[in-house]
Amino acid sequence: MPDTRQHQRNFSNSPHPIGSPPGFMPELGAMSAFDMWGSVISSMQAWTRQMTQYGTTLQREWLSFVEKRLKHDAALGQQLAGSKGPDEIMRTYSEFMRTAFEDYQRKFTTVAKLSGSMTSDALGMMQAGEAETGRADGADYRTSASSPAA
């Protein structure tokens, strides 16, 4: 029959209280791992939700642009076919190219602004999450757990 006292001695030599979860660090004080990770998870959910909304907005912008440009591209063939001479073909094609260039320029500007807002908001949300979890001051939980209690 195995000696159960041997197992009890092994647990009693542990620096952590019996029954504490792995990774438990009493040096962190009142903040539990659940409190730390709960706020991190909440921040990540908000960040993911915001980035998904931005991604959806960017996709809608781009798809509406492509739809518009495809309609213009399809109309070009009909306009060229209805031209009465080389001068009209050149005017039609020049107008098409100028409009396409302006459309692409406007859309790329819009997409760049949205991307800039997305990046700015993402950084702001990450900084807010760091402040909420107490890491904005550069404190690292791993180093604070190993430092001697004051």
Side-chain angles (χ1 to χ4, degrees), residues 91-103:
R91 271 194 308 275
T92 301
Y93 198 69
S94 295
E95 179 66 24
F96 171 81
M97 292 302 290
R98 184 184 60 77
T99 303
F101 178 78
E102 290 170 353
D103 286 349

Side-chain angles (χ1 to χ4, degrees), residues 99-150:
T99 303
F101 178 78
E102 290 170 353
D103 286 349
Y104 276 98
Q105 187 176 26
R106 274 193 302 274
K107 192 48 64 180
F108 285 145
T109 300
T110 301
V111 168
K113 286 179 183 177
L114 282 170
S115 297
S117 295
M118 184 171 113
T119 303
S120 177
D121 286 354
L123 290 174
M125 291 178 81
M126 289 171 60
Q127 289 170 346
E130 287 176 350
E132 189 176 309
T133 58
R135 296 185 63 133
D137 60 355
D140 187 351
Y141 294 119
R142 291 171 295 186
T143 57
S144 64
S146 62
S147 62

Side-chain angles (χ1 to χ4, degrees), residues 7-140:
H7 295 291
Q8 290 172 349
R9 268 189 241 117
N10 288 342
F11 282 119
S12 65
N13 293 334
S14 171
H16 300 294
I18 294 177
S20 63
F24 176 74
M25 294 180 265
E27 300 88 6
L28 288 178
M31 180 181 275
S32 72
F34 294 111
D35 293 333
M36 286 188 317
W37 286 112
S39 62
V40 169
I41 290 170
S42 175
S43 296
M44 287 304 297
Q45 286 174 334
W47 183 84
T48 302
R49 189 173 25 260
Q50 185 67 37
M51 294 305 108
T52 301
Q53 288 173 352
Y54 272 121
T56 301
T57 301
L58 281 171
Q59 288 175 351
R60 283 185 183 147
E61 283 285 328
W62 189 251
L63 288 175
S64 69
F65 171 73
V66 169
E67 179 185 21
K68 177 185 170 186
R69 286 306 318 155
L70 286 174
K71 287 178 182 178
H72 286 288
D73 292 354
L76 176 64
Q78 293 174 347
Q79 291 171 348
L80 290 174
S83 297
K84 296 186 170 89
D87 290 341
E88 194 173 341
I89 289 174
M90 287 301 290
R91 271 194 308 275
T92 301
Y93 198 69
S94 295
E95 179 66 24
F96 171 81
M97 292 302 290
R98 184 184 60 77
T99 303
F101 178 78
E102 290 170 353
D103 286 349
Y104 276 98
Q105 187 176 26
R106 274 193 302 274
K107 192 48 64 180
F108 285 145
T109 300
T110 301
V111 168
K113 286 179 183 177
L114 282 170
S115 297
S117 295
M118 184 171 113
T119 303
S120 177
D121 286 354
L123 290 174
M125 291 178 81
M126 289 171 60
Q127 289 170 346
E130 287 176 350
E132 189 176 309
T133 58
R135 296 185 63 133
D137 60 355
D140 187 351

